[in-house]
Structure formats: C-alpha cells, structure tokens
Amino acid sequence: MASQPSSASSSPENLILVDYHPSGVAVVTINRPGSLNSLTRPMLVDLARIFKSLDGDPAVGAVVIFGRGRAFCSGIDLTAAEDVFKGDVKDQETDLVIQMERCRKPIIGAVAGFAVTAGFEIALACDIIVAGRDAIFIDTHSKFGIFPSWGLSQKLSRVIGPNRARQASLSCMPISAEMAEKWGLVNQVVDNPDVLNKAIEVAENILRNNRDMVLRYKSVINDGLKLDLNNALKLEKERAHEYYDGMTKEQFAQMQKFISGRGAKSASKL
C-alpha cells in the first residue's frame, strides 16, 4: 500500500493546510472556500512563513499550491483590506510573493476556478502552472483603484507580451484557461477534477531527477530572466564553472557511471 501524505495546519481555523507527501512534495492548500479563498492578513503571514519553512526543509523537494473549492484565490478579503494594504509592506519576512520567489524549490500552481488580482499574482509567482478548464485569471487593480505591489504590472507583460498585458490589466479582461495556455501563461490545461493530481505528478516527475541540479537549474533560469541575454549567458557560464570546479574526481566518476547506466537502459529498449 502506498504511503499516505501527512497533514499539518497553520492555524486553529485550518485556513491554510500543508500536506507532506512521501515523495518529497508538499501541497499547500488555501482552505477558505466559503469566501472563494480570499486572503486576510493572518493568512498572508501564515503563507509567507510556510514557504520560508518549506524552502529550508530538506525533506521537501517541490511545492504545489492549490485552492479548495470554486476558486484558486479570489484575492484580498476586501473587508480586511486596510489591514493588508496599510500593513508593513516593506517587511519581506511576511511578504508571501517575496517568500515564494526566494523559495529554491520548484513551485507548481494548481489553478482551478478564479485567480483574481492577488490570486493572479500568486499564480505568477509559481514556476509552473497547471490549470483546470474553468480557470479564469483576472486583474482587477484598475477596477477597484488598488495599486499593484506583488509584481503583476511587471511580470505579466514579460510572460504574455506588453500589448496583451495592457489589455488584461487596464480593461480587467478575464483570461480563460484556453487563452492562458495559448499565450504561454499556463503550462497545461486539464479537466477540473484532475488539476491537483496533475500538479503533484509534475512535481514528482521533477523530483525523479538530481535534486541538487533541479535547485541550481531553477535558480539560474530565474536569475537569468532578470538580466539581458548577454549577461544571462555569462551568469550560466560562471555558475557552470563554479559547479564543475567544485566537483571531486569521485563525483565525476559517479556522474559518468550514472550516465552510462542510463544510456544502456535506453539502448535496451530500442
């Protein structure tokens, strides 16, 4: 029988849940379906703390974030908006998106239903997005007079292009799952009941590889995206030289043995 994931709650209300799978995948669930997973200040602080903790947990190799019910996350709970927007926005320890961006582990967003404004920004902080067929991404900053502060004004244009981003953000145009996949915003679209399992499957596929290299590869991709291509290529070269210079003869021998073994298995299947 397969091992079952262990669970933990971040609060007495069980608004944020964490399930630890034996494979090394941690599933973070926003569990406020009655309010379409809208976020209060305590929930944001909990989520930031959880991502920081998962980053430092050697038993966790990848993270999936999911919203229970009809929405991934409908944004900030506007009844508690003042607590959020007038809170200490410079406190990086309690900034969810900053903690997600600092997390070295791959983060897979399992997006079913609405991902609205802050929910959209949380999705953009993921490395990979699996979306349900009913997923809808909406930026409502312009509608409600809320200034973006989690990167939506900068990240979206870099993912789908500036013209599409301007249309989506200035008109508050909903982006369907089909459109999001076409534009490269999401990696794949699956039937709604399959979203979480597919996201976990993607995470487990990643963890079948060299975990140290997965962390290094994610880092060089994400850090390189902040640079122009010429400097990004230099960054890759620098980190490659640093990596290989740090390898011992024994590690090179192990790498060669592993590659030879994989090659032999592949050849045997031809």
Side-chain angles (χ1 to χ4, degrees), residues 184-255:
L185 176 60
V186 306
N187 294 75
Q188 62 186 118
V189 176
V190 299
D191 291 336
N192 297 336
D194 300 331
V195 171
L196 180 56
N197 286 338
K198 175 55 70 172
I200 293 171
E201 179 186 321
V202 170
E204 290 178 341
N205 285 341
I206 290 171
L207 295 184
R208 292 189 181 97
N209 297 314
N210 183 299
R211 292 198 182 189
D212 176 65
M213 183 52 66
V214 165
L215 302 187
R216 291 174 184 271
Y217 215 144
K218 169 181 167 169
S219 176
V220 76
I221 290 172
N222 288 1
D223 290 346
L225 285 170
K226 302 170 187 174
L227 306 172
D228 61 79
L229 180 59
N230 186 51
N231 283 310
L233 291 171
K234 288 180 181 178
L235 176 69
E236 182 190 69
K237 284 286 188 187
E238 289 168 1
R239 293 196 184 177
H241 288 308
E242 178 185 334
Y243 178 74
Y244 290 120
D245 285 346
M247 287 182 69
T248 64
K249 289 184 178 180
E250 290 77 14
Q251 287 174 321
F252 271 110
Q254 288 175 357
M255 182 175 68

Side-chain angles (χ1 to χ4, degrees), residues 100-163:
M100 290 179 71
E101 291 171 343
R102 287 180 175 176
C103 183
R104 296 165 300 155
K105 318 295 174 63
I107 302 173
I108 295 89
V111 179
F114 295 101
V116 182
T117 313
F120 198 164
E121 291 173 307
I122 292 169
L124 283 171
C126 297
D127 299 299
I128 296 167
I129 300 175
V130 176
R133 299 195 188 282
D134 72 345
I136 299 176
F137 300 84
I138 312 174
D139 178 6
T140 62
H141 284 105
S142 295
K143 181 184 291 292
F144 296 110
I146 301 169
F147 203 94
S149 61
W150 273 0
L152 211 160
S153 69
Q154 303 304 310
K155 291 180 180 177
L156 187 61
S157 61
R158 287 163 169 79
V159 175
I160 67 174
N163 288 355

Side-chain angles (χ1 to χ4, degrees), residues 6-172:
S6 60
S7 301
S9 171
S10 66
S11 67
E13 298 83 8
N14 294 321
L15 298 180
I16 308 295
L17 306 174
V18 186
D19 293 324
Y20 296 89
H21 289 243
S23 61
V25 177
V27 177
V28 179
T29 301
I30 305 172
N31 185 39
R32 200 183 181 210
S35 297
L36 297 179
N37 295 322
S38 61
L39 300 170
T40 63
R41 175 75 177 169
M43 291 171 70
L44 290 169
V45 172
D46 279 349
L47 282 164
R49 178 186 59 79
I50 286 166
F51 273 93
K52 182 175 182 178
S53 175
L54 294 175
D55 177 57
D57 188 341
V60 174
V63 183
V64 171
I65 182 166
F66 174 70
R68 180 157 292 155
R70 297 189 298 115
F72 172 70
C73 172
S74 62
I76 300 300
D77 183 341
L78 294 181
T79 64
E82 186 172 356
D83 288 341
V84 174
F85 299 129
K86 287 193 174 182
D88 188 356
V89 294
K90 294 182 179 180
D91 184 2
Q92 297 186 351
E93 292 298 304
T94 60
D95 188 310
L96 168 58
V97 169
I98 285 179
Q99 292 303 323
M100 290 179 71
E101 291 171 343
R102 287 180 175 176
C103 183
R104 296 165 300 155
K105 318 295 174 63
I107 302 173
I108 295 89
V111 179
F114 295 101
V116 182
T117 313
F120 198 164
E121 291 173 307
I122 292 169
L124 283 171
C126 297
D127 299 299
I128 296 167
I129 300 175
V130 176
R133 299 195 188 282
D134 72 345
I136 299 176
F137 300 84
I138 312 174
D139 178 6
T140 62
H141 284 105
S142 295
K143 181 184 291 292
F144 296 110
I146 301 169
F147 203 94
S149 61
W150 273 0
L152 211 160
S153 69
Q154 303 304 310
K155 291 180 180 177
L156 187 61
S157 61
R158 287 163 169 79
V159 175
I160 67 174
N163 288 355
R164 288 170 175 164
R166 280 190 284 261
Q167 182 180 5
S169 295
L170 301 183
S171 73
C172 304

